[in-house]
Amino acid sequence: MTKEPEAYQKGATTLRRGHVPSTTTDQRLLDQSQDSGWVHTDPWRVMRIQAEFVEGFGTLAELGPAVSVFGSARLKPGSDFYAKGVELGRLLTDAGYAVITGGGPGAMEAANKGAYEAGGTSVGLGIELPFESGLNPYVDLGVNFRYFFARKTMFVKYAQGYVVLPGGFGTLDELFEAVTLAQTQKITSFPIVLLGTKFWAPLLGFIHDTLYTEGMIAEKDLHRLRVVDEPAEAVAIIASDGDNLGASRPE
């Protein structure tokens, strides 16, 4: 049997084999080496960016209560944190939340799998990347984006909080995006829960011993991140803040 070639997602378009581009849409947008011809194409890019926001808003507007889950795409099935991701997705579903992830493998797949197997709403917000191939099979409601900034808006706008499993640069990017929005009062009640005390301890130590000690953040900023070891604890924190969230969602 011939193996099906991996699919490359470019917005709503699926590409395979020789049609897979060598660069991403985000990369071309941010590329500083292009000549002055960009002034003729960038206004049209605005229309495409607008279309991504419209598509995201239209798809997710009636989603209902939801929680965004982040974590490494490199987590392997069978690992401890993959199992906790599955449990987290299941418990969030049982608590009445839809589960939103980046739609990829690893921690994202785990949370989507838990929601899917529990009969909940499993959402994946995919992104055009050169090293990932579309949404994982546990996503029931998926939107593919070309631009990171459009996608990141959806993670915050349609979620009542974040749960963050161990991850790398992408996970940290989403984490500190939410912390910054909370710090600057763009969102005023938005629980952010870190899963895995041992993994997150060095980062939390840096935040306290360096950022706070050097006066880079305020004392109240130390309490914006809550760390637990079990998915049930994370869900309890999200649920306990639920009564305060309705009037504080970003418009």
Side-chain angles (χ1 to χ4, degrees), residues 145-157:
F145 293 86
R146 289 180 171 92
Y147 299 102
F148 267 112
F149 50 85
R151 177 186 186 233
K152 289 168 76 172
T153 299
M154 306 304 156
F155 280 128
V156 176
K157 180 170 176 58

Side-chain angles (χ1 to χ4, degrees), residues 86-97 114 118 230-233 235:
V86 174
E87 183 182 0
L88 175 65
R90 177 180 62 79
L91 292 175
L92 285 170
T93 294
D94 291 345
Y97 296 100
E230 298 301 327
E233 297 175 280
V235 175

Side-chain angles (χ1 to χ4, degrees), residues 144-224:
N144 282 299
F145 293 86
R146 289 180 171 92
Y147 299 102
F148 267 112
F149 50 85
R151 177 186 186 233
K152 289 168 76 172
T153 299
M154 306 304 156
F155 280 128
V156 176
K157 180 170 176 58
Y158 293 104
Q160 272 62 52
Y162 279 6
V163 179
V164 188
L165 281 75
F169 288 149
T171 302
L172 293 176
D173 177 50
E174 298 292 354
L175 168 61
F176 282 105
E177 173 94 5
V179 173
T180 302
L181 289 172
Q183 183 191 51
T184 56
Q185 298 183 32
K186 300 296 185 182
I187 47 177
T188 55
S189 182
F190 196 82
I192 305 168
V193 186
L194 308 180
L195 192 59
T197 54
K198 183 177 180 181
F199 179 88
W200 295 110
L203 176 62
L204 295 175
F206 170 75
I207 290 172
H208 181 276
D209 299 340
T210 302
L211 298 185
Y212 175 64
T213 300
E214 296 291 336
M216 304 300 172
I217 61 173
E219 182 177 0
K220 63 182 178 181
D221 294 324
L222 296 174
H223 307 295
R224 298 191 188 278

Side-chain angles (χ1 to χ4, degrees), residues 67-88:
V67 174
S68 290
V69 179
F70 299 97
S72 176
R74 303 184 185 192
L75 281 182
K76 301 299 183 184
S79 67
D80 180 55
F81 277 110
Y82 187 96
K84 288 188 175 184
V86 174
E87 183 182 0
L88 175 65

Side-chain angles (χ1 to χ4, degrees), residues 14-100:
T14 299
L15 303 169
R16 291 191 173 95
R17 292 179 285 272
H19 295 281
V20 176
S22 59
T23 60
T24 66
T25 308
D26 256 338
Q27 180 183 344
R28 292 189 293 276
L29 173 67
L30 300 173
D31 187 4
Q32 297 298 313
S33 65
Q34 55 190 328
D35 60 30
S36 60
W38 67 268
V39 299
H40 304 294
T41 59
D42 273 16
W44 291 105
R45 284 175 175 163
V46 172
M47 302 300 291
R48 176 178 286 172
I49 292 167
Q50 179 182 1
E52 291 215 333
F53 279 105
V54 171
E55 184 72 19
F57 293 157
T59 301
L60 302 175
E62 298 180 357
L63 183 61
V67 174
S68 290
V69 179
F70 299 97
S72 176
R74 303 184 185 192
L75 281 182
K76 301 299 183 184
S79 67
D80 180 55
F81 277 110
Y82 187 96
K84 288 188 175 184
V86 174
E87 183 182 0
L88 175 65
R90 177 180 62 79
L91 292 175
L92 285 170
T93 294
D94 291 345
Y97 296 100
V99 174
I100 304 174

